[in-house]
Amino acid sequence: MQDTMMKVPLSLNHLLERAGKLFHGGQIVSRLPDKSYKRHAYGEFYRRARALGAALQGLGLQKGDRVATLCWNHHAHLECYFGIPAAGGVMHTLNLRLAPEEIGWIAADAQDRFLVIDDVLLPLYEKFKHLHAFERVIVFPFSGASVPAGFTGYEALLAGADPDGFAYAPHEEDDPVAMCYTSGTTGQPKGVVYSHRSTVLHSLAACMPDYNSARNTDVVLPVTPMFHANSWGMPYIAVMVGAKLVFPGPHLHPDDLLDLMTQEPPTLSLGVPTIWMTMIQTYEASLKPGSPNQGRWKLPAGMRSTVGGAAVPESLIRAFDRHGIWIMHGWGMTETSPVGTLSYPIAALQNASADEKYRRAALAGLPAPLVELRVRGDDGRDQPWDGKSAGELQVRGPFITGGYHGIGSPPDKFTADGWLRTGDVVTVDELGFTRISDRTKDLIKSGGEWISSVELENTLMAHPAVAEAAVIAIPDEKWSERPLACVAFKPGEQATPGELNEFLLAKGFVKWQLPERYEFIDAVPRTSTGKFWKLKLREQFPQ
Ligand code: AMP
């Protein structure tokens, strides 16, 4: 006898059906390789996603088979997000910015059966195809050119399938829908597998008003690649609420993003801080008298922007706020679906000063609903939430992975009592705001005292001449380690190490925390997901 609620399994297919029934007029805009725009209605998306499901079943896709994607952000990639799981498959997003050898290794490790690839990325495929034999390579004619011989055409495949006769593959709510590999900056990349249940719960939690606050009337611009932790879940969320989607395609240069924002003004956007930094610098430079770009762009005032994946400097939040755009700083990992924490205004801070509000906004914020969080000290004990006691951030919840594909749950990644060890060093304050001070491996231990590279970087980036700053540890005979600051200046700007140190002292740093040395560089190298790549700097400046 059932005397409580119905046991209906959580399912991604429900989101697709909901979108098809309720939002068929909603828009999906994609930027094509030639920079023109392609427009679809949600109704078309619904039919095409189901047609993809039918076509994959026609190709013999079995439940649990992996279908890889190697695609930019666009409407066909969105169809894969829903069409592959609808057919019972697991969508595995490959990161197109990785080295070809790494992409091939990952595809082989995941045992991907089929590949859906943008035609413009076929030259990349040629470089890794010897490492893994896909049974079929389905080419999406993103550029509009005809599909080369020897490949299956995506459009032809869809045209030959019947969306009306399509039946969803039966599934349990814990069955897999998607897969994404960790960036592998700390060892071999590892596969994280998301389920129907985790994806639906993450979509619900991450779209709440205090988090992404996604709604039907929104125009959503996901700049975060769809291969980086599922574009932070935003494609699922947007479809769930029926928001208009604007996809940037391959055009992620700040000029292109500003053009796109001017043409299709978003109300909600997301991306990593490095891209947001260059975007605001480009925009502000365009306002200066004599700029060749004067009057070219209009930033969409009122837009909310979720920025995370790496530390967000307070100066960045202030810069966007000057133009009426509020940045919501979030922390997460591929392993956490990825929204873990997000900084938002809370009632207890309503009467706080503007400076305090900015300071809080630059913290990683409060855990999302369903995410449990604890801070484990070196002594194995939970640290108090006092804003001072640091330890490793550990998390647990229904959209946090319990293991890795083919590896399970190794003890360096999971505690014996089932929490994920994030490898991030944090403090949490009385109000529950998390501050990420470092990755365990990025901490600088100088004379027995820890120096936070993140705090040094964020403060250096508040200096008016500084465009980017990354701080790494260098070995030191006397102090064991000392900070080295790698700094890139804004065009036409400069500062001396003495001036930068003066600035740091004025901002509250003490003498022994100041960088031992400065290196002036053109730009901080980026990882495959657009974050500062400290490993490269450590290789470049080993001493
Ligand atoms: P990934 O899985 O590639 O997105 O990387 C996850 C890692 O990025 C985390 O473990 C953190 O080290 C880092 N990260 C993510 N968000 C933030 C943030 N808001 N501040 C500082 N580091 C972050």
Side-chain angles (χ1 to χ4, degrees):
M1 194 180 81
Q2 180 92 29
D3 57 4
T4 57
M5 299 297 126
M6 293 180 188
K7 198 152 177 63
V8 178
L10 299 180
S11 174
L12 213 50
N13 303 333
H14 168 73
L15 303 194
L16 182 58
E17 280 302 308
R18 176 182 159 79
K21 284 204 182 73
L22 296 176
F23 313 131
H24 35 81
Q27 287 183 65
I28 300 170
V29 181
S30 303
R31 198 131 197 236
L32 303 183
D34 67 0
K35 297 199 177 176
S36 63
Y37 295 88
K38 173 115 187 154
R39 284 166 204 281
H40 278 88
Y42 262 73
E44 217 178 322
F45 151 70
Y46 169 72
R47 286 182 65 75
R48 285 169 58 89
R50 285 175 59 100
L52 175 62
L56 290 170
Q57 286 179 342
L59 293 178
L61 185 87
Q62 299 293 310
K63 211 167 144 203
D65 282 350
R66 259 80 65 198
V67 180
T69 61
L70 192 62
C71 301
W72 293 101
N73 288 13
H74 53 61
H75 66 93
H77 208 169
L78 185 71
E79 288 153 17
C80 291
Y81 264 57
F82 288 87
I84 295 169
V90 182
M91 176 202 55
H92 173 201
T93 49
L94 291 168
N95 180 339
L96 57 88
R97 295 204 195 279
L98 292 176
E101 300 70 42
E102 206 168 357
I103 302 177
W105 183 91
I106 288 172
D109 188 64
Q111 295 169 291
D112 294 330
R113 192 167 164 202
F114 303 142
L115 169 69
V116 178
I117 181 171
D118 287 346
D119 59 357
V120 291
L121 295 170
L122 281 171
L124 177 58
Y125 166 72
E126 292 298 326
K127 292 188 194 151
F128 70 82
K129 66 177 184 189
H130 62 288
L131 294 168
H132 178 65
F134 297 96
E135 198 176 306
R136 197 179 275 263
V137 176
I138 301 163
V139 175
F140 171 61
F142 193 23
S143 71
S146 41
V147 172
F151 296 105
T152 302
Y154 182 87
E155 292 300 341
L157 196 65
L158 261 57
D162 172 20
D164 298 320
F166 171 69
Y168 291 107
H171 71 84
E172 308 287 334
E173 65 176 14
D174 288 321
D175 286 347
V177 292
M179 181 179 202
C180 182
Y181 274 68
T182 58
S183 52
T185 43
T186 52
Q188 202 71 272
K190 290 181 279 300
V192 174
V193 185
Y194 311 95
S195 64
H196 280 278
R197 178 182 156 83
S198 72
T199 308
V200 170
L201 290 177
H202 179 265
S203 304
L204 290 168
C207 86
M208 287 186 57
D210 283 331
Y211 293 82
N212 282 300
S213 177
R215 45 185 101 106
N216 182 264
T217 49
D218 268 322
V219 178
V220 179
L221 169 64
V223 175
T224 307
M226 290 167 88
F227 54 76
H228 181 202
N230 302 321
S231 195
W232 303 348
M234 194 46 83
Y236 301 121
I237 293 172
V239 168
M240 181 172 75
V241 302
K244 175 177 170 181
L245 271 161
V246 177
F247 288 118
H251 303 296
L252 303 181
H253 187 278
D255 287 12
D256 292 323
L257 288 174
L258 287 165
D259 282 343
L260 183 60
M261 286 188 173
T262 306
Q263 162 94 17
E264 300 282 334
T267 57
L268 176 61
S269 58
L270 49 148
V272 286
T274 43
I275 294 197
W276 257 236
M277 272 178 225
T278 45
M279 191 158 64
I280 196 69
Q281 285 162 14
T282 306
Y283 178 72
E284 291 198 328
S286 80
L287 303 178
K288 290 192 176 146
S291 159
N293 289 318
Q294 214 171 20
R296 175 170 164 190
W297 297 307
K298 192 166 173 346
L299 270 183
M303 175 173 76
R304 291 113 56 216
S305 228
T306 303
V307 181
V312 175
E314 189 180 313
S315 54
L316 187 72
I317 297 172
R318 286 178 182 262
F320 272 96
D321 195 30
R322 282 200 290 275
H323 303 283
I325 292 170
W326 189 247
I327 287 185
M328 301 167 287
H329 177 195
W331 167 92
M333 304 171 76
T334 306
E335 287 90 333
T336 64
S337 287
V339 175
T341 67
L342 206 127
S343 191
Y344 56 87
I346 61 171
L349 294 170
Q350 243 162 10
N351 298 322
S353 67
D355 280 351
E356 177 62 2
K357 284 180 180 161
Y358 283 124
R359 189 186 75 77
R360 294 268 170 185
L363 301 178
L366 298 128
L370 308 182
V371 173
E372 286 178 83
L373 171 161
R374 71 185 185 192
V375 184
R376 274 284 151 115
D378 287 342
D379 57 1
R381 291 180 193 198
D382 281 349
Q383 298 298 296
W385 289 15
D386 59 7
K388 292 193 285 281
S389 307
E392 183 185 37
L393 174 62
Q394 300 185 349
V395 289
R396 184 168 79 160
F399 47 83
I400 291 167
T401 195
Y404 296 100
H405 171 71
I407 299 177
S409 38
D412 62 326
K413 294 286 172 192
F414 295 89
T415 63
D417 60 345
W419 292 62
L420 175 74
R421 303 189 55 184
T422 65
D424 289 316
V425 180
V426 303
T427 56
V428 178
D429 67 19
E430 301 77 8
L431 296 177
F433 280 74
T434 306
R435 174 203 294 276
I436 314 282
S437 49
D438 259 310
R439 294 289 293 160
T440 342
K441 61 178 183 342
D442 289 339
L443 273 174
I444 302 161
K445 195 157 201 184
S446 173
E449 297 285 345
W450 296 111
I451 300 177
S452 163
S453 63
V454 171
E455 275 163 37
L456 274 176
E457 286 159 10
N458 285 349
T459 310
L460 283 169
M461 284 189 278
H463 189 284
V466 175
E468 298 175 357
V471 174
I472 56 171
I474 42 168
D476 184 278
E477 258 178 36
K478 184 166 174 201
W479 303 107
S480 92
E481 283 179 343
R482 293 289 299 145
L484 163 70
C486 305
V487 171
F489 292 115
K490 291 178 185 163
E493 306 276 357
Q494 251 181 346
T496 63
E499 285 163 350
L500 293 174
N501 281 341
E502 282 305 317
F503 185 76
L504 290 172
L505 288 170
K507 294 283 179 191
F509 282 86
V510 289
K511 240 174 155 188
W512 62 271
Q513 296 171 322
L514 298 179
E516 187 68 24
R517 206 171 95 208
Y518 284 88
E519 289 285 347
F520 296 126
I521 55 179
D522 293 338
V524 177
R526 307 285 204 262
T527 68
S528 63
T529 47
K531 305 181 190 184
F532 285 167
W533 200 1
K534 294 199 189 176
L535 194 72
K536 267 268 165 294
L537 289 173
R538 279 195 281 268
E539 284 168 14
Q540 205 175 335
F541 304 110
Q543 293 308 313

